[in-house]
Amino acid sequence: MTSNTQPLVGLTEAQRLGLRDLLIDVSQARDWSWELPVLLRDRCWLRLDRIQLNQLLRHIPPDGRDEAPELTHYQRLIAEGSDPLLAQQKCWQEFGMEDCQRALHEYWESRDRENHGWTARRYRQLVSIYRDQIERGVAAVPMLVLARQDTAEKHQVHWITGTTPAEELVDIKLNYC
């Protein structure tokens, strides 16, 4: 879920100071909330945006089409040894032919779009880790370093904490796209 690159390299001094203040705010949060901050880092535009966790789905919708119930049921039947044609017919009976066709169509259509590895599973994992950190009293903020457009890069998730190495907060280098 994380990468070993240095996510803070290239931030401006004002952005780094803002991170420090943000960590102070999060450390004072007593309870888990969907209003906790998430950072979105766009390296190409040298932007660091702060949004609320409850806005993340709107900003970066995760790709969950391969988790459609129609498809997962079909895959489970195949894994259990069912004939593919019989498995398809069983899914049509249980979910309806139109819904099965729609799920399959959306699945193949989504394979043509780059989601930069941002899946529903990764989204749920981020939320789960975030909640766990807050409930344990750890001041941590997720930073999504967004993949560059028109690349096969994956969005990277980094956790900014009070123990983030100081050299990452001091080093100022500009990365241009």
Side-chain angles (χ1 to χ4, degrees):
M1 178 107 182
T2 62
S3 171
N4 60 4
T5 62
Q6 296 179 340
L8 304 180
V9 170
L11 293 180
T12 65
E13 185 175 350
Q15 289 170 328
R16 288 183 285 112
L17 291 172
L19 285 179
R20 187 189 65 202
D21 294 341
L22 179 65
L23 285 171
I24 291 169
D25 290 346
V26 171
S27 69
Q28 295 171 350
R30 301 226 185 276
D31 297 316
W32 162 254
S33 167
W34 285 93
E35 294 177 356
L36 287 167
V38 174
L39 299 168
L40 301 178
R41 172 122 192 251
D42 186 333
R43 296 166 292 168
C44 293
W45 291 100
L46 304 175
R47 290 183 57 133
L48 182 63
D49 295 318
R50 175 183 174 168
I51 63 169
Q52 292 180 346
L53 180 59
N54 60 13
Q55 298 170 332
L56 185 57
L57 286 172
R58 188 169 14 114
H59 284 297
I60 309 172
D63 184 357
R65 297 192 193 212
D66 58 339
E67 296 181 24
E70 301 88 348
L71 297 178
T72 56
H73 185 64
Y74 174 80
Q75 292 167 348
R76 186 173 45 252
L77 291 171
I78 295 297
E80 292 171 355
S82 291
D83 176 73
L85 183 57
L86 293 175
Q88 183 177 20
Q89 289 174 346
K90 186 164 184 144
C91 287
W92 285 356
Q93 290 171 349
E94 293 183 28
F95 295 100
M97 185 186 305
E98 189 175 304
D99 287 337
C100 289
Q101 294 292 354
R102 177 198 40 76
L104 191 58
H105 177 74
E106 288 178 357
Y107 169 76
W108 285 110
E109 203 172 69
S110 73
R111 306 267 304 171
D112 293 336
R113 290 188 309 268
E114 182 56 58
N115 68 4
H116 299 287
W118 190 242
T119 62
R121 182 177 159 272
R122 283 188 75 200
Y123 169 77
R124 289 189 306 268
Q125 188 178 25
L126 179 141
V127 172
S128 176
I129 291 170
Y130 203 1
R131 184 176 194 140
D132 183 60
Q133 297 270 32
I134 295 299
E135 288 177 349
R136 289 187 301 124
V138 176
V141 177
M143 175 191 287
L144 272 74
V145 178
L146 304 178
R148 291 180 172 94
Q149 290 184 345
D150 302 322
T151 69
E153 286 181 338
K154 305 264 186 250
H155 295 317
Q156 301 169 20
V157 178
H158 297 273
W159 291 92
I160 309 303
T161 67
T163 60
T164 298
E167 62 270 11
E168 288 189 28
L169 295 172
V170 174
D171 191 8
I172 298 178
K173 294 177 187 170
L174 297 180
N175 297 327
Y176 294 100
C177 295

